[in-house]
Amino acid sequence: MNDPVISIHNLNHYFGHGRLRKQVLFNIHLEIAAGEIVLMTGPSGSGKTTLLTLVGGLRAAQTGSLKILGQELTGANEKQLVQARRHNGYIFQAHNLHRSLTTLQNVKMGLEVTGQRSPSEMIQQATHILQQVGLADHIHYYPDDLSGGQKQRVAIARALVSHPAIVLADEPTAALDSKSGRDVVHLMQTLAKEQGCTILLVTHDNRILDVADRIIHMEDGHLETNTLLSQTSLQAA
């Protein structure tokens, strides 16, 4: 069996210092394999987003072990975190598109950070993935001219254009209606499977749970359940 893409053991995390120090994650154990789609559920304040930011290298893990693609991020310095982030694609509830840039330019930004492609290659690759997400006719549109679902499709294209090993998504359907939300998640699922990347997605949206290979549930900083979707389906039956 291949080593897991994400490997977390005995992970604890704290905010604040001294008397104000508060523990927000407690003894987290989690392993995620290459190509898996894992949905993380739980109430607000349960630690989902904190765990997602640690996995994404947006802050350093403090205690325990957090390995991403074999690299230990516990106690990592800023240079090591930047290096880890190069393997990730990020999709958030707010699409975070630059209003002054076209759809094509926004997606191309996902390639510019790697510095590994020529300008013509970046345009070609960005155009191709925009075709894949159904926006071939919108590459010169600005975000203000797009619907909410279209903006999130651009955000997905930007996250996946560099073929990242890991895609981290935080409530990507929260601002969308039911149909747009499902369309966006199915698009993520299809493109991720084609590219062989791993998805860890935080959601409160029960309408999209069926796209997961596995569902994990956070409660008060604890990982309470870790269930294969097939097991959930069997129990429901």
Side-chain angles (χ1 to χ4, degrees):
M1 181 179 177
N2 293 331
D3 291 336
V5 171
I6 299 170
S7 180
I8 303 171
H9 296 281
N10 301 310
L11 179 69
N12 297 279
H13 198 75
Y14 306 82
F15 288 147
H17 301 278
R19 295 175 60 184
L20 298 178
R21 191 176 193 231
K22 178 182 178 183
Q23 188 166 359
V24 292
L25 293 178
F26 298 82
N27 198 33
I28 303 295
H29 292 266
L30 178 65
E31 291 192 342
I32 300 177
E36 249 193 309
I37 299 177
V38 177
L39 267 58
M40 182 160 46
T41 64
S44 297
S46 60
K48 304 185 305 297
T49 297
T50 298
L51 182 57
L52 198 73
T53 59
L54 291 171
V55 171
L58 299 177
R59 55 165 61 100
Q62 297 165 340
T63 67
S65 176
L66 172 60
K67 290 183 179 180
I68 306 300
L69 299 171
Q71 179 184 351
E72 181 62 67
L73 295 188
T74 299
N77 59 37
E78 185 57 31
K79 182 178 180 181
Q80 292 168 324
L81 292 176
V82 169
Q83 185 62 35
R85 291 197 290 267
R86 294 184 188 278
H87 301 292
N88 301 335
Y90 301 92
I91 305 169
F92 300 103
Q93 177 179 343
H95 44 76
N96 295 333
L97 301 180
H98 289 265
R99 296 176 65 185
S100 62
L101 300 180
T102 65
T103 297
L104 180 65
Q105 291 168 332
N106 268 286
V107 173
K108 193 159 69 76
M109 287 183 64
L111 294 168
E112 289 170 347
V113 295
T114 66
Q116 297 175 343
R117 297 168 180 81
S118 68
S120 61
E121 287 174 328
M122 288 191 288
I123 290 173
Q124 183 178 13
Q125 200 161 335
T127 300
H128 176 67
I129 199 164
L130 283 168
Q131 292 171 342
Q132 288 184 289
V133 302
L135 292 175
D137 296 332
H138 294 73
I139 63 173
H140 299 303
Y141 283 49
Y142 288 89
D144 286 349
D145 299 321
L146 301 175
S147 68
Q150 289 171 330
K151 290 175 185 176
Q152 203 62 305
R153 283 171 177 261
V154 177
I156 291 170
R158 182 180 58 190
L160 290 169
V161 68
S162 63
H163 289 217
I166 301 169
V167 171
L168 302 169
D170 195 357
E171 300 284 2
T173 66
L176 303 177
D177 61 51
S178 178
K179 183 180 185 307
S180 296
R182 285 201 65 82
D183 288 347
V184 159
V185 171
H186 278 303
L187 181 60
M188 287 175 59
Q189 181 186 37
T190 300
L191 291 178
K193 290 296 185 184
E194 287 177 2
Q195 296 184 8
C197 73
T198 299
I199 293 181
L200 179 59
L201 187 155
V202 169
T203 187
H204 285 103
D205 190 348
N206 292 330
R207 302 167 300 185
I208 65 170
L209 298 183
D210 59 308
V211 306
D213 297 312
R214 187 154 42 114
I215 298 170
I216 62 177
H217 183 77
M218 296 285 294
E219 194 86 32
D220 296 326
H222 297 267
L223 181 55
E224 297 287 349
T225 58
N226 187 349
T227 309
L228 288 172
L229 189 64
S230 57
Q231 294 175 347
T232 304
S233 300
L234 287 172
Q235 291 168 1

